[in-house]
Amino acid sequence: MRFPGASVDRDEAAYVLTGAPLDATTTFQPGTRFGPDRVRKFASTYDDYDRRTDSFFSDLRVHDAGDVPAWDAVDDYLDHLSAELRAAAIDDAVPLLLGGEHTVTWGGVRATDPDVLVTLDAHLDLRDEYDGNPLNHACVVRRCLDGLPADGADDADGADEADAPDTDDRPTVDEVVVLGARTGSPEEWERADAPDVTVVAPEDVADWTREFDGLDDRDAYLSIDIDGADPGFAPGTGTMEPFGLSPREMRDAVRAVAPHCVGVDAVEVNDRDDGQAAALAGKLLREAVYSHADAN
């Protein structure tokens, strides 16, 4: 199944969409392996024309490269996925990634090497490890900031800098902005207090969006975790968290950030609803493309 409106060949593409159906570490409700095709399916009802930007999605040179089949060796999979996405970036196309669990975002960040990660998410995802696994989906923002220790050892919070293990040379970001976070462990909130992290509570996201005036010529990567939405709007996700964002608040944030992006993903959609989460993810991804193309 091809993403609707993704109508050009690879060598003509300005945007290359790739599915990453990773479902190795999802907690509570698995099913993200079905996310990419589910988003494609529920995006099929949307009109091609966007009045706001006066453009047709099918004219924006989007290519659907299909899925990168997942396997359970997550580190190896991320290496392979990031290489696939980097090939698009090298060709001056913007990678669009459909998850799959949120862990795949680190593959997108490594492929595009942005300065800033902006993520719409209910969770901080700043754990250094979860159940002993530093590549759990609850750790993805931490990996995008701090990388993975080169020896695979956990980087203990509070350790002296000189005693911390070296990290590997895979790209990380300089700053993270988490929009809509409403839960996290004490250690995550402690990491979030550092100057390279900004957390915007759900009730403040609309104001943040209105006041957003760019990133001072820095590149961004935008990650749309569908659980950033209130589960009343998008119940088809693994770890639902009430008191979240409305679809319109997410849309407005995506429209603001997308023009500055070198990559975009939509993740954490599963098959546990009637299509609400997939429909929202597909619509937000299209909004990102319309907004990026209109500005660039």
Side-chain angles (χ1 to χ4, degrees):
M1 185 181 297
R2 188 179 67 187
F3 193 86
S7 56
V8 301
D9 294 333
R10 173 68 174 77
D11 57 359
E12 301 172 1
Y15 304 89
V16 176
L17 184 145
T18 303
L22 184 65
D23 198 6
T25 76
T26 47
T27 47
F28 189 54
Q29 292 191 133
T32 55
R33 69 193 66 190
F34 304 114
D37 274 348
R38 196 163 173 83
V39 173
R40 291 178 176 108
K41 173 183 176 181
F42 283 94
S44 64
T45 63
Y46 298 136
D47 285 330
D48 193 31
Y49 179 68
D50 179 59
R51 184 177 182 184
R52 180 179 65 91
T53 59
D54 190 26
S55 59
F56 291 89
F57 192 83
S58 58
D59 287 341
L60 300 183
R61 296 191 293 138
V62 180
H63 172 75
D64 191 335
D67 291 353
V68 176
W71 61 90
D72 58 2
V74 176
D75 202 6
D76 290 342
Y77 179 71
L78 291 176
D79 285 345
H80 182 67
L81 176 64
S82 63
E84 293 286 339
L85 301 176
R86 192 178 303 115
I90 289 171
D91 291 337
D92 293 323
V94 176
L96 307 173
L97 183 60
L98 282 179
E101 64 177 72
H102 206 172
T103 310
V104 302
T105 294
W106 197 31
V109 164
R110 285 157 50 182
T112 55
D113 197 12
D115 303 302
V116 182
L117 169 64
V118 179
T119 179
L120 292 156
D121 202 333
H123 309 88
L124 293 173
D125 288 347
L126 282 167
R127 297 176 185 266
D128 201 36
E129 56 84 20
Y130 188 84
D131 285 343
N133 182 6
L135 291 175
N136 186 280
H137 70 123
C139 309
V140 63
V141 174
R142 185 67 172 267
R143 298 285 76 81
C144 290
L145 269 172
D146 297 341
L148 190 69
D151 59 2
D154 295 341
D155 183 4
D157 290 322
D160 292 337
E161 184 176 348
D163 297 330
D166 294 333
T167 55
D168 64 21
D169 59 357
R170 290 177 281 195
T172 55
V173 298
D174 299 325
E175 181 183 351
V176 165
V177 179
V178 186
L179 303 175
R182 47 202 182 269
T183 188
S185 68
E187 292 78 14
E188 288 178 280
W189 287 112
E190 182 180 357
R191 181 64 183 86
D193 283 338
D196 56 355
V197 180
T198 299
V199 179
V200 183
E203 59 269 24
D204 297 326
V205 168
D207 288 339
W208 181 92
T209 300
R210 280 191 292 269
E211 295 169 4
F212 179 77
D213 61 356
L215 295 165
D216 300 324
D217 296 323
R218 294 177 296 165
D219 292 330
Y221 184 98
L222 175 61
S223 180
I224 305 164
D225 185 332
I226 206 62
D227 70 28
D230 189 273
F233 297 110
T237 192
T239 49
M240 294 178 285
E241 189 71 32
F243 312 133
L245 298 170
S246 72
R248 191 171 291 124
E249 288 168 331
M250 297 180 78
R251 178 204 68 184
D252 291 347
V254 166
R255 286 178 175 178
V257 176
H260 309 278
C261 287
V262 292
V264 180
D265 68 44
V267 298
E268 293 287 337
V269 172
N270 67 21
D271 60 339
R272 303 300 182 98
D273 67 3
D274 293 325
Q276 298 97 313
L280 179 57
K283 192 71 169 180
L284 291 172
L285 191 67
R286 285 166 57 100
E287 287 289 338
V289 175
Y290 282 129
S291 298
H292 184 276
D294 187 55
N296 293 276

